Amino acid sequence: MKLEVKDLLPDYFEQERKTTSEIWGKELSFSNGDLVNIVAPSGTGKTSLTHFLYKMRESYTGTILYDGKNLKNCSKEDIAALRKDHVSIILQDMRLFEEQTLLENLEIKRQLNPYHPQERIIEMARALGIDHRLNALAKNCSYGEQQRSVIIRALLQPFDILLMDEPVSHLDDSNSRKAIGLILEEAFKRNAAVIFAELERAAYFPATQLYHL
């Protein structure tokens, strides 16, 4: 899958942002296998960019294309299919069902589009050190435990592009490395592109492209 952004800029940013950004106002193309690290200090639009690419918001000028199709022209059915089979996301706000256990949250996602068997949930939870918390209600789990669950949730579906907005912000260095390792393992299996927006460059992420937002 090919993702292109052309002359993109949030409606609420002044045009001058285009002169200092390596993303806003530029023409860029990402495709399978690319590992893209976007370094974005607070206030530069990192979360906005992630939301735009997933069509959660449309408050921008410019164009976003998936395989040549303008995202703004996609129907609800097109978007549902895109998110089900081709684009996965790890958001900062974790959006777990608080009254469900971590395992129930993950199983709901897996059953929507079974790509992995349920056993893979256990394996990934063990790799990230939360297998002992799978039967705990999400609301009773720490932010770190919830964030690791959200990472697993994003990896349970097929995808060609994985969008990540500060995916390890609640994890210490050791757990961050484990999480990124698992993400890369799953991305490599799919030959997927990973677009990783973070406050600073992640030394443990082998970026093939680096941009400053």
Side-chain angles (χ1 to χ4, degrees), residues 185-201:
E185 176 186 337
E186 290 292 326
F188 289 153
K189 286 179 183 175
R190 301 159 169 81
N191 189 32
V194 180
I195 299 178
F196 178 13
E198 188 55 279
L199 292 171
E200 298 178 346
R201 183 175 184 178

Side-chain angles (χ1 to χ4, degrees), residues 99-118:
E99 299 296 334
Q100 302 289 323
T101 66
L102 295 185
L103 182 59
E104 288 168 338
N105 270 278
L106 296 172
E107 186 60 13
I108 290 169
K109 176 68 172 180
R110 192 189 71 82
Q111 289 185 5
L112 287 172
N113 191 4
Y115 177 81
H116 283 305
Q118 190 184 45

Side-chain angles (χ1 to χ4, degrees), residues 55 69-71 73-84 86:
K55 199 175 167 65
K69 190 165 187 177
N70 190 328
L71 195 59
N73 296 335
C74 289
S75 65
K76 290 182 180 179
E77 291 75 19
D78 292 336
I79 295 303
L82 189 73
R83 292 175 176 176
K84 177 174 174 285
H86 300 291

Side-chain angles (χ1 to χ4, degrees), residues 17 21 58 73 76 95 134 144 169 196 204:
R17 293 276 188 134
S21 172
E58 293 187 324
N73 296 335
K76 290 182 180 179
R95 305 190 183 202
L134 284 175
S169 56
F196 178 13
Y204 42 84

Side-chain angles (χ1 to χ4, degrees), residues 80-95:
L82 189 73
R83 292 175 176 176
K84 177 174 174 285
D85 294 322
H86 300 291
V87 181
S88 191
I89 191 167
I90 302 172
L91 295 164
Q92 281 197 59
D93 56 332
M94 292 176 270
R95 305 190 183 202

Side-chain angles (χ1 to χ4, degrees), residues 38-66:
I38 298 175
V39 177
S42 296
T44 55
K46 170 177 49 60
T47 297
S48 294
L49 175 64
T50 307
H51 286 187
F52 296 161
L53 296 178
Y54 201 61
K55 199 175 167 65
M56 294 173 66
R57 293 155 58 191
E58 293 187 324
S59 50
Y60 62 86
T61 56
T63 308
I64 297 170
L65 304 165
Y66 280 99

Side-chain angles (χ1 to χ4, degrees), residues 134-159:
L134 284 175
N135 291 316
L137 294 179
K139 68 179 183 181
N140 293 333
C141 294
S142 69
Y143 284 125
E145 290 165 345
Q146 291 184 39
Q147 191 162 52
R148 281 174 276 181
S149 299
V150 170
I151 291 168
I152 294 171
R153 184 179 62 188
L155 302 178
L156 286 174
Q157 68 167 85
F159 58 82

